[in-house]
Amino acid sequence: MCGIVGYVGENRATPILINGLLKLEYRGYDSAGLAVVENGNLAVMKNKGRVSNLEELDGINNLTSTIGIAHTRWATHGRPSAENAHPHMDNSKTFAVVHNGIIENYNELKDFLISKGYTFYSQTDTETIPNLIHYYFSRDEKDDGDKFLRAVRSACNDLKGSYAIEVISNLSPNECIVVRKDSPLVVGVGTNENYIASDIPAILPFTKNFYLLDDNELTVIKKDSVFFYDNSLEQHNKAIKNIEWDALSAEKDGYEDYMLKEIFEQPNSIRETIGSRLKLGEECNFDDLEFSKEYLENLNKIYIVACGTAMHAGLVGKNIIEKLCKIPVTVDIASEFRYRDPLVDEKTLCIYITQSGETADTIAALKLAKSKGSKTLAISNVIGSSITREADYSIYTHAGPEIAVASTKAYTSQVVLLAILAIHFAEILEASDKETLENLKTDILDLPTKIGAVLDNLDDLKEFAKKIYTEKDMFFLGRGTDYNVALEGSLKLKEISYIHSEAYAAGELKHGPIALIENGVTVIGIITDSKLVEKTISNMQEVITRGAKTLVITNQNLPNTHFDYVIDIPNTSSLISPILSVIPLQLLAYYISKYKGLDVDKPRNLAKSVTVE
Ligand code: M6R
């Protein structure tokens, strides 16, 4: 949940650490801190609140050290406060640690350390780590150059749970040791300087060359070297990966907020998702997949498992796969799937969708399906993310870094990728006629231009947002795949405007929710499937009769109706219409949040990636 940055080099560490933290605030923003080795001692500075509060601390600008670690926190154990902020030190102030993740056995470790005379000053699970390192360090009688490394290794062997940690020590002032397990961590390589981060954008302005660390790999970073060790402290080599994201794409690029920037990036992010996978007149091409006709024919079902917005993308994907491939698809919420003892086996293909690739429930759900013999396919936006190391196959959305907590471009790229995947499977299976597939390919290739048209036509949407931004409740209605978009529109609104909203399959209205419709309530309808137009219109009429204010998003020529606002979007195949119809809903949520004066990019209580249960 939190963000980690580290630096070992020749320049002052503090400005680099703060700069990195500011880029990672979307991962956690209830407190921030840093530690450096200053004149032979550890200097730790931390404060509650945003990184700007850390920057304001007296003396922070006087730190001259060229090595340091830093952290921005999203509280799990212990309330947001300066004491609970990272870094944490051991009692002797020899080791400083920052940590992402959760140490599940911290109570046990704490009791053990207390029994050995250690005292704890915070309510965090993290504080056990520097003290454990100290415990092992002080008992190691071999006083060679590897003593620090051995102590970190021994401490990690005692930890249960997930972690990405950085450790520095005043006894070893030229090196930083880092380890990850089920939590992201990368090392950025420079000239006479190296960087560490939980997320690439934090250090992208400094380098494009990265080591993507593996679970349980101990890494020792000095200014001119990076060494990797396994648990037996055997050293090994690792290839550098060049990440082509440019630093600017990780910045706001002139937009007021990351969310707005990311919404407007969608024509381009979708072009990137399509890449060379889909061309007219050719079969779709996935270099990394090798599903045979025989394997796909033998499948009983496909499971799509994900959380939040990614799960909503899965619902749209289900419709496309079932229609084109004639394979039943079940969509499940990862936190439900993992505890339901799901009926999956070698005749089930399990697809996991996750923007970050770090969502704890989704990763656990994948591990479960794997243990039951089913093949697993991860769809992620982050190259080398944890889920892609676990999955049998991984494909990437290539949507570029998504910084705003509310997911927008990742969703549309996920749906596009699922559509291309469905076409690919249908081609292997020969399950749909060529003309249907070719028409869908044309529609997918036209999406960037059509999204551009939606983004050019925002005046009515802004006006409607201004009318309704003070409301307390709203409803979203749709049928078929429009219902899937209604779910996503409702989630977006809740997340960033804090307005309560519900999404219903329009046909369900009469079965209960219509009791909530009264004079002045806002109802948003999505109508893009020509076969269902009349049905949804009649549901909308029912709410108008009861005094509702209405906004309709449609690609159909609607008959004369009494809707207050109609947002017209370009026509496309109903299978992929959510990619266009979701955009006005993303923007509606955005404008409402802005009118309310809220922090769009960092909504309260939410973090970008949910790396704990
Ligand atoms: O990184 P993931 O795609 O696995 O994240 C899943 C959800 O946490 C995420 O989509 C969440 O619902 C977003 N805040 C939605 O805007």
Side-chain angles (χ1 to χ4, degrees):
M1 293 289 192
C2 315
I4 284 182
V5 191
Y7 176 77
V8 189
E10 293 178 327
N11 293 306
R12 276 185 64 224
T14 309
I16 295 167
L17 297 173
I18 300 252
N19 188 300
L21 288 183
L22 286 169
K23 294 205 167 56
L24 290 186
E25 271 197 314
Y26 67 93
R27 280 188 69 97
Y29 31 84
D30 61 40
S31 55
L34 59 80
V36 296
V37 183
E38 192 76 11
N39 303 323
N41 291 312
L42 287 176
V44 174
M45 298 202 134
K46 42 196 194 175
N47 209 353
K48 191 178 165 189
R50 297 275 167 110
V51 177
S52 54
N53 296 3
L54 174 66
E55 279 181 285
E56 281 161 13
L57 289 179
D58 278 349
I60 197 154
N61 293 322
N62 302 332
L63 298 171
T64 56
S65 173
T66 58
I67 178 170
I69 57 177
H71 188 267
T72 175
R73 179 170 185 252
W74 189 87
T76 55
H77 290 72
R79 69 193 153 80
S81 67
E83 313 80 73
N84 288 332
H86 300 210
H88 290 280
M89 287 195 285
D90 69 300
N91 288 177
S92 71
K93 299 191 179 354
T94 309
F95 302 100
V97 171
V98 298
H99 162 226
N100 279 358
I102 287 189
I103 305 305
E104 287 166 4
N105 58 335
Y106 87 101
N107 271 327
E108 201 180 293
L109 294 173
K110 198 167 171 178
D111 289 347
F112 166 77
L113 288 163
I114 289 171
S115 77
K116 298 291 175 194
Y118 289 85
T119 306
F120 284 80
Y121 300 96
S122 77
Q123 291 108 45
T124 65
D125 49 344
T126 303
E127 204 183 349
T128 53
I129 304 173
N131 283 312
L132 262 185
I133 294 171
H134 176 267
Y135 173 80
Y136 285 111
F137 189 89
S138 56
R139 271 154 191 79
D140 189 339
E141 284 171 4
K142 204 161 140 201
D143 205 2
D144 59 7
D146 289 340
K147 193 169 169 180
F148 180 21
L149 180 61
R150 280 196 299 275
V152 175
R153 186 267 315 264
S154 301
C156 288
N157 286 347
D158 287 350
L159 305 179
K160 291 199 180 121
S162 61
Y163 50 85
I165 58 170
E166 291 177 324
V167 195
I168 54 171
S169 169
N170 59 336
L171 298 179
S172 210
N174 302 317
E175 64 186 10
C176 175
I177 299 181
V178 306
V179 197
R180 60 157 278 171
K181 182 176 167 282
D182 297 330
S183 195
L185 204 60
V186 298
V187 175
V189 183
T191 308
N192 275 336
E193 55 188 355
N194 290 306
Y195 306 84
I196 307 140
S198 50
D199 300 73
I200 288 168
I203 50 177
L204 206 51
F206 307 113
T207 181
K208 285 190 166 37
N209 296 322
F210 291 89
Y211 290 113
L212 307 178
L213 304 187
D214 285 313
D215 274 354
N216 304 314
E217 191 169 43
L218 291 137
T219 307
V220 178
I221 300 146
K222 300 187 181 180
K223 71 174 183 184
D224 47 9
S225 63
V226 183
F227 292 116
F228 306 95
Y229 299 87
D230 66 13
N231 198 261
S232 317
L233 302 189
E234 287 295 321
Q235 205 184 314
H236 58 269
N237 294 328
K238 207 172 171 72
I240 289 182
K241 187 139 189 131
N242 188 260
I243 302 284
E244 275 312 323
W245 291 354
D246 70 54
L248 256 188
S249 76
E251 308 275 350
K252 281 191 204 158
D253 219 2
Y255 286 94
E256 239 176 276
D257 315 87
Y258 283 113
M259 183 178 174
L260 191 62
K261 171 179 173 267
E262 286 156 13
I263 290 173
F264 274 81
E265 276 174 349
Q266 289 177 105
N268 207 35
S269 50
I270 283 175
R271 267 185 214 107
E272 295 289 328
T273 306
I274 298 169
S276 59
R277 289 161 170 153
L278 181 141
K279 293 190 182 114
L280 289 181
E282 289 178 27
E283 297 212 329
C284 289
N285 162 41
F286 280 91
D287 289 339
D288 303 331
L289 301 183
E290 44 189 38
F291 294 114
S292 66
K293 185 171 185 186
E294 191 192 2
Y295 169 76
L296 291 173
E297 271 174 351
N298 280 327
L299 289 177
N300 284 338
K301 65 170 174 287
I302 292 176
Y303 250 108
I304 299 181
V305 182
C307 302
T309 286
M311 192 276 290
H312 293 159
L315 292 170
V316 181
K318 164 189 163 78
N319 191 39
I320 310 175
I321 297 172
E322 288 188 341
K323 293 266 167 24
L324 299 185
C325 309
K326 325 286 187 281
I327 303 173
V329 180
T330 302
V331 180
D332 210 348
I333 297 164
S335 55
E336 292 292 314
F337 178 93
R338 65 183 287 193
Y339 294 117
R340 88 160 78 253
D341 196 11
L343 296 174
V344 297
D345 55 24
E346 64 286 350
K347 286 182 168 244
T348 320
L349 170 63
C350 291
I351 301 176
Y352 296 84
I353 310 174
T354 162
Q355 186 284 130
S356 61
E358 304 295 343
T359 301
D361 283 322
T362 312
I363 295 173
L366 183 144
K367 288 181 181 164
L368 175 69
K370 231 174 145 179
S371 74
K372 286 170 172 271
S374 103
K375 283 224 187 315
T376 55
L377 164 61
I379 294 182
S380 178
N381 192 34
V382 181
I383 294 171
S385 57
S386 299
I387 201 156
T388 65
R389 291 136 189 256
E390 299 289 341
D392 296 309
Y393 304 98
S394 298
I395 52 178
Y396 294 98
T397 41
H398 298 309
E402 191 180 65
I403 310 292
V405 167
S407 183
T408 53
K409 64 175 181 172
Y411 169 84
T412 46
S413 282
Q414 286 158 354
V415 176
V416 168
L417 193 50
L418 285 164
I420 303 175
L421 187 69
I423 299 174
H424 178 56
F425 286 175
E427 285 171 341
I428 296 172
L429 287 163
E430 299 174 86
S432 280
D433 64 81
K434 286 212 164 93
E435 196 188 337
T436 306
L437 298 183
E438 207 61 8
N439 288 342
L440 183 56
K441 284 181 192 174
T442 307
D443 279 341
I444 293 174
L445 289 167
D446 286 345
L447 282 170
T449 312
K450 290 181 179 174
I451 293 175
V454 179
L455 293 171
D456 278 346
N457 188 8
L458 302 177
D459 292 347
D460 282 356
L461 209 54
K462 276 187 201 159
E463 196 179 300
F464 187 69
K466 198 168 186 178
K467 279 206 157 90
I468 61 167
Y469 76 93
T470 53
E471 294 192 2
K472 298 270 176 281
D473 297 286
M474 289 189 203
F475 295 89
F476 291 76
L477 299 181
R479 285 174 182 253
T481 208
D482 290 335
Y483 168 51
N484 299 328
V485 179
L487 288 166
E488 176 57 9
S490 172
L491 177 64
K492 221 78 310 165
L493 186 73
K494 286 183 195 103
E495 281 188 291
I496 59 167
S497 76
Y498 315 147
I499 293 176
H500 168 251
S501 74
E502 302 277 355
Y504 287 106
E508 276 291 286
L509 201 60
K510 288 197 190 69
H511 299 282
I514 199 161
L516 297 170
I517 307 296
E518 57 186 5
N519 208 24
V521 87
T522 294
V523 180
I524 294 159
I526 302 109
I527 309 180
T528 70
D529 188 337
S530 56
K531 295 189 297 301
L532 299 168
V533 174
E534 299 307 327
K535 303 279 174 207
T536 313
I537 286 184
S538 82
N539 297 127
M540 292 298 288
Q541 286 300 151
E542 285 157 9
V543 300
I544 290 172
T545 307
R546 286 159 182 84
K549 282 199 290 294
T550 52
L551 169 86
V552 162
I553 293 158
T554 186
N555 57 14
Q556 305 291 309
N557 279 328
L558 297 186
N560 267 346
T561 49
H562 299 105
F563 304 132
D564 295 303
Y565 284 81
V566 175
I567 305 290
D568 289 304
I569 58 170
N571 209 343
T572 191
S573 157
S574 62
L575 293 178
I576 55 166
S577 64
I579 297 162
L580 298 177
S581 58
V582 79
I583 290 169
L585 299 180
Q586 295 170 343
L587 284 159
L588 184 68
Y590 173 83
Y591 291 131
I592 290 175
S593 176
K594 291 301 277 187
Y595 283 127
K596 291 183 83 167
L598 300 172
D599 186 341
V600 175
D601 286 336
K602 299 187 186 84
R604 70 184 180 206
N605 304 337
L606 294 174
K608 181 65 183 165
S609 57
V610 186
T611 52
V612 295
E613 256 195 88

